Amino acid sequence: MKLRLKNTSNAAIFVDDTDDKFGLQVQRNVGGTWLGFDEKLKCACLSCDQICGGACPCDGGSPAFVRKVLPGDNFERTWNGVVQVQSPSGCADGCLRAENAPLDETFNLQLCYQSEILGVDLPDGGRLAAVYPRPDQTCVDKEFRVADGVAEVSPRKGTVCTTQLDCVGIGELCLSGTCTAGCPANGYPVLGAGYALRIASDDLGFFTSTADAGTSVLAGSGEITSVIYNGGTMTVRLKRLGPASEVLTGAVYVTLPMGQAAPLTQGSTVSVQLFDGSSSTNPENRALVIRDATGALLFAADQAQQGTLLKPADTAPFTVSFSAPLVGCRFNECGKQLFFKTRFTAAPVESMLEPGKSALLTIPQGAFRALNVTSGTYGTTSCKLFDIRPFAIWREKAP
């Protein structure tokens, strides 16, 4: 008969695929308890008609495999209806005797799975040699008879939800209206070498340095002498005159995700503030604000690691907040990362953007681009950084 796994959930699952079983175990009722059994004789010399023939050099078993099953995937295998029954033997502790299962006997098909296995990097729908960890797995059961011909089992469906309070299972989140302990595919960008917000500076007298509650602040006003865009990095070179009319220079470097750029203008008079909250446990944590000669906002960006460096006065006329609803999650080497929208507000508009998304917001002060680089946090993690919410805002067109 056919034993079928159908992933009807909205998230991938991981199963033990040793012996190509797809995480499916046939069980027999013995004294009121469902017990698994060997469907096939793995070692011929363990059969009752051979076990007394001498030494039985069985190997250590099949190599272990883990399989990733995507939403909508179906996997099917065949069980021939034979049960290997433990029987007494006069020359050993016991032997295995093949027995055809009665057509009307009720069996149980058990599916055990996990929503994620850390440290195992599997391609979609892939299979990898790895040991499947038993702790924290979820198991579902489906009773059947051999006469049915097909037994199908699926992961447990989450309850319908409207808020996180509706989900009471361990590790469950309310995503797309369903409680799930897994993480449905979302396509949110991964922070790394090719996708990031980074801020740095050079100073040859342009900036004045102060400290504010453990944060170093570099501030200076002067002229933009050049703006260069190269490989996603914007280099803004600056100059001002010192007390003896000497030329003092500096530069700021901003790396934005590819395809994003702020249109700053050479020759403009600007004021620049660079906030540096970097530390040994939180390196490269900086923010930048650039305003024109009238004080109007031209550019603001914050790497926002372990909290924002910019205050509402720094991003005005915008306020940036992270109280938007949970929109997704992802398992990675640091644990389970939860993703949220970032809210950008400036009267009379408000926009809530998912990670990796931007929007053009038109307000009386001009047309501004708001970018949620990402917005993620960990409930628990072994990594040093648990809250990472970089964002950027810049003026694309003056009023």
Side-chain angles (χ1 to χ4, degrees), residues 273 275 287-289 299-302 307-315 391:
Q273 285 181 295
F275 303 79
L288 177 67
V289 177
F299 183 87
D302 195 334
T308 59
L309 293 168
L310 299 183
K311 301 177 176 64
D314 300 316
T315 58
F391 66 87

Side-chain angles (χ1 to χ4, degrees), residues 318-333:
F318 286 88
T319 58
V320 182
S321 60
F322 310 103
S323 59
L326 173 74
V327 292
C329 62
R330 177 184 293 135
F331 289 93
N332 58 32
E333 67 277 4

Side-chain angles (χ1 to χ4, degrees), residues 1-5 24 26 75-77 79 109 144 151:
M1 69 171 300
K2 302 295 184 182
L3 307 178
R4 183 180 300 144
L5 161 61
L24 302 175
V26 181
F75 290 99
E76 188 176 271
R77 65 182 182 85
W79 174 46
L109 181 62
F144 69 96

Side-chain angles (χ1 to χ4, degrees), residues 29 61 83 86 88 116 168 184 191 210 245 270 284 294 300 363 386 398:
N29 193 322
V83 179
Q86 286 280 349
E116 189 65 41
V168 297
L191 285 178
T210 59
S245 296
V270 294
E284 291 194 43
T294 69
I363 58 177
F386 60 83

